[in-house]
Amino acid sequence: MRRALPDVLWTLALAIVAALAPTLLKAGFDQASVSYLSLASNAMSLGILALSWDLLARTGQLSLAHAAFYGAGAYAAAVLANATGVPIVLALPLGGLVAGLLALGLGSVTLRLKGIYFAIATLAFTEVLKAVVQELPTGLAGGAAGLNVPPLFRPHFVPGQMQRWEIAFQRNEAYFYVYAALLVLTIAVSIVVQRTRLRAAFTAVRTNEAVAAVMGVRPARAKLLAFVLSSALVGMLGALEAMRLGSVIPDGTFAISTTVFALVTPIFGGLYTTLGPILGAGVLSAVEETLKRTFAEGYLIGYGVVLVASILFMPRGLVGLATRLRRRRGGSGTPAAGDAEGPA
Amino acid sequence: MSATAPTAGTPALEIHGLEAGYGKIQVLWGIDLTVEAGSFVTVIGANGTGKTTLLRAVSGLVRGVHGSIRAFGQDLHGHSPARIVRAGIGHVPEGRQLFPLMTVAENLASGADYLPGAAREITRSRATVFELFPRLAERQLQLAGTLSGGEQQMLAIGRALMSRPRLLLVDEPSLGLAPSLTKAVFRALAEINRAGVTVVLVEQNVQRSLALADRAFVLENGRIVKQGRGSELLDDPAVREAYLSL
């Protein structure tokens, strides 16, 4: 690990802010804090989705199967809860495990595919997995109608001492912490990748496999490792979301929009970095919410305009823009020669 | 891959009847080539004659190769690049191929990190590289993308040295460099060779690279058409006419 201290400090600072946030929100906003917590969880969910996708993209594998692994995790949780009596909390690691194993299988057969061919294969995989889940015995996976998923937390109401909205607060607060924990885990994985020899391996596999090979890296292993890590993390997210939303349904749980958000957010924030996808998730969530409140109908048009403008004017995302501004002000004026690490 | 210690006189590289190409396009047509351990060998030839393919075949980067390739007595044929680099064969790829958004130190480390033997020696190897290229030592924490072309080439060679190779394959290091920098890079290669590393250099800069070579080969259309001591080829009228336009 090289230059690890600043990362650790940042992560710790974020963790402390997250730990205090619900209490502070409640003190400051009373009833409104319920929806703020929910918004924060949505933003963190987008961050986990985006950063886990970026982990895989660092090896040059532009996946359109993120929804598949998200859905696999969600269904693993749902089936576990409905078919067995084990505690629902086990759904989280199980969701990660199932998604990770599926990624190992898919990754092994797509190893030699590149670029658009890899993307198409992964897109097809999403559709196939959705169809398979839909055709499973209804008693097991619920068919086209889906399944209910029990919640991870059951708030307990104390009459007389609590107000009604505090039930929702309790519930949202509990989920907030779990999302924060999963986000911290995803950030930690990303930082480890960026600060160890894995960064050079992933970058080399992305930009020039021959260089990776003469460094002694086995490209197939590096790609599979990224695929499994990325999918296990998003599988856990899928399981968590299934519990928070209360149900899974093939068309919704395997929706292509999940994949779209997973790749748009890192592109907006800055590809191949830890900060980029997180920053992108925060900003896009805030933009989306503001637009929703301003124009109830058709807010997606505004959202689209923001995305198109950002691709046009900051091709390397928020992080790239920040780097450019800092360089201009610092006056060192030496742009990185070659763009081998820029967005592919 | 624990090789038996090479006996004195075992060539660093022995290639017989090597045929290689990409898909249906055959590039090399039966190459025979021997590189004595500790020597400096140059392969010259025009663009597209197969110089890069020859090096890539030795490193295991070209699939479907026919013929035999042995390094220090050990058969390399069909082995993965990762195994071949572990057998002590370093490769400086054409066009440097550095990591522009990583520092000089990180680029160097990447040459050793995946090789257990080399990873243990990382501090010592880095010191050797810095001794050879003091400018890299000054720029350790600078991003590789901000280095000049000459410094980038030095870094590319340095990264390959981090694997502690016994045989170093160098592909067109003079590409895009000013003459004075080319000279510095070639001087460094000569120094690496003096330290005991066998060097195989593939070049279009015929004058300088032949002057350095103990032995040189001329590649034309995937075949070796001439070989001899570097100085001999430098005096050869046909070579002078074809490659030096004299």
Side-chain angles (χ1 to χ4, degrees):
Chain A
M1 296 268 268
R2 293 183 271 270
R3 300 197 321 247
L5 193 64
D7 293 330
V8 172
L9 289 179
W10 271 112
T11 315
L12 265 181
L14 266 178
I16 292 170
V17 169
L20 297 176
T23 315
L24 294 176
L25 280 172
K26 193 178 182 188
F29 297 99
D30 280 338
Q31 203 158 343
S33 62
V34 174
S35 69
Y36 288 145
L37 276 181
S38 173
L39 287 176
S41 293
N42 290 344
M44 289 192 285
S45 166
L46 185 59
I48 297 161
L49 188 72
L51 187 54
S52 60
W53 184 87
D54 190 80
L55 280 175
L56 180 58
R58 289 172 199 173
T59 59
Q61 303 181 98
L62 299 182
S63 167
L64 297 181
H66 226 45
F69 299 111
Y70 173 94
Y75 262 90
V79 171
L80 175 83
N82 285 284
T84 70
V86 300
I88 187 68
V89 66
L90 288 178
L92 274 179
L94 181 79
L97 184 70
V98 168
L101 288 176
L102 273 175
L104 196 61
L106 177 64
S108 309
V109 297
T110 55
L111 272 176
R112 308 195 61 180
L113 298 178
K114 288 197 165 78
I116 194 78
Y117 303 101
F118 177 83
I120 297 297
T122 51
L123 182 62
F125 177 77
T126 310
E127 289 305 311
V128 168
L129 191 62
K130 179 167 92 177
V132 167
V133 166
Q134 209 158 325
E135 297 307 322
L136 284 176
T138 317
L140 185 68
L147 286 174
N148 287 325
V149 187
L152 187 51
F153 303 104
R154 295 183 189 282
H156 45 98
F157 182 57
V158 190
Q161 286 176 28
M162 277 170 74
Q163 291 179 292
R164 281 249 155 246
W165 63 267
E166 285 180 279
I167 305 174
F169 181 88
Q170 257 190 27
R171 172 183 176 280
N172 284 4
E173 181 187 32
Y175 277 111
F176 176 92
Y177 286 128
V178 183
Y179 276 88
L182 189 54
L183 180 63
V184 167
L185 175 66
T186 310
I187 292 176
V189 170
S190 172
I191 287 175
V192 167
V193 168
Q194 292 299 80
R195 291 289 180 237
T196 60
R197 60 183 194 165
L198 282 173
R199 180 177 178 200
F202 282 16
T203 309
V205 167
R206 180 176 83 240
T207 54
N208 189 335
E209 273 194 32
V211 171
V214 299
M215 277 162 52
V217 172
R218 291 175 164 81
R221 278 194 208 172
K223 285 179 171 180
L224 273 181
L225 174 67
F227 213 161
V228 169
L229 280 178
S230 159
S231 304
L233 286 167
V234 80
M236 285 200 270
L237 177 67
L240 179 56
E241 298 256 288
M243 291 184 278
R244 183 164 71 124
L245 302 175
S247 66
V248 289
I249 180 165
D251 280 330
T253 308
F254 292 98
I256 186 71
S257 62
T258 304
T259 294
V260 173
F261 282 116
L263 69 96
V264 162
T265 310
I267 293 171
F268 176 77
L271 283 167
Y272 319 135
T273 59
T274 305
L275 186 60
I278 300 299
L279 208 57
V283 172
L284 283 183
S285 299
V287 167
E288 186 186 358
E289 189 58 25
T290 313
L291 287 171
K292 243 187 220 170
R293 289 179 185 205
T294 322
F295 327 94
E297 298 291 326
Y299 78 93
L300 277 173
I301 298 173
Y303 194 74
V305 170
V306 170
L307 286 181
V308 170
S310 71
I311 298 290
L312 283 176
F313 298 110
M314 37 181 218
R316 300 186 68 167
L318 294 170
V319 169
L321 183 72
T323 315
R324 216 161 61 199
L325 291 178
R326 203 169 48 209
R327 257 199 212 115
R328 194 171 300 169
R329 203 174 319 143
S332 72
T334 42
D339 205 31
E341 293 196 34
Chain B
M1 10 219 297
S2 63
T4 47
T7 49
T10 306
L13 189 61
E14 264 179 298
I15 295 175
H16 288 297
L18 177 66
E19 304 202 354
Y22 306 94
K24 285 186 179 151
I25 303 163
Q26 187 164 351
V27 179
L28 299 178
W29 300 83
I31 302 279
D32 293 306
L33 182 153
T34 303
V35 176
E36 296 306 325
S39 65
F40 193 116
V41 164
T42 299
V43 180
I44 61 168
N47 250 337
T49 50
K51 301 189 302 291
T52 295
T53 306
L54 175 62
L55 295 192
R56 289 174 60 92
V58 174
S59 283
L61 294 168
V62 184
R63 295 184 166 274
V65 166
H66 298 282
S68 93
I69 306 176
R70 301 177 76 81
F72 304 102
Q74 194 179 340
D75 188 9
L76 297 186
H77 189 262
H79 287 179
S80 73
R83 269 185 82 176
I84 291 172
V85 66
R86 283 168 174 77
I89 299 173
H91 190 140
V92 185
E94 189 178 3
R96 297 153 208 160
Q97 310 289 356
L98 299 168
F99 303 118
L101 298 184
M102 290 188 221
T103 63
V104 167
E106 286 168 336
N107 270 277
L108 284 178
S110 77
D113 274 346
Y114 276 86
L115 307 166
R120 280 191 296 273
E121 301 284 337
I122 207 159
T123 317
R124 208 180 322 162
S125 308
R126 195 164 40 207
T128 314
V129 171
F130 287 158
E131 214 171 291
L132 195 61
F133 301 117
R135 292 168 77 153
L136 294 184
E138 294 161 24
R139 288 163 171 67
Q140 274 186 72
L141 298 180
Q142 202 169 313
L143 296 185
T146 65
L147 297 179
S148 73
E151 290 162 350
Q152 289 192 10
Q153 188 60 61
M154 293 170 191
L155 181 53
I157 294 170
R159 180 174 65 184
L161 286 178
M162 294 297 288
S163 72
R164 304 187 76 80
R166 288 188 285 168
L167 168 62
L168 186 65
L169 312 174
V170 191
D171 198 347
E172 295 265 6
S174 75
L175 200 74
L177 294 189
S180 66
L181 287 170
T182 304
K183 205 167 146 188
V185 166
F186 282 3
R187 203 183 304 129
L189 290 176
E191 207 169 312
I192 291 164
N193 179 240
R194 270 197 298 280
V197 178
T198 310
V199 174
V200 176
L201 169 67
V202 148
E203 257 301 339
Q204 289 197 65
N205 187 326
V206 170
Q207 180 97 49
R208 286 194 193 288
S209 59
L210 284 187
L212 281 175
D214 298 316
R215 192 153 192 85
F217 297 83
V218 180
L219 204 56
E220 256 177 44
N221 297 321
R223 295 182 174 85
I224 286 175
V225 295
K226 207 170 273 252
Q227 55 178 297
R229 293 158 44 106
S231 52
E232 275 168 29
L233 289 191
L234 207 46
D235 292 333
D236 186 300
V239 170
R240 291 176 73 83
E241 191 185 353
Y243 299 101
L244 297 168
S245 345
L246 294 173

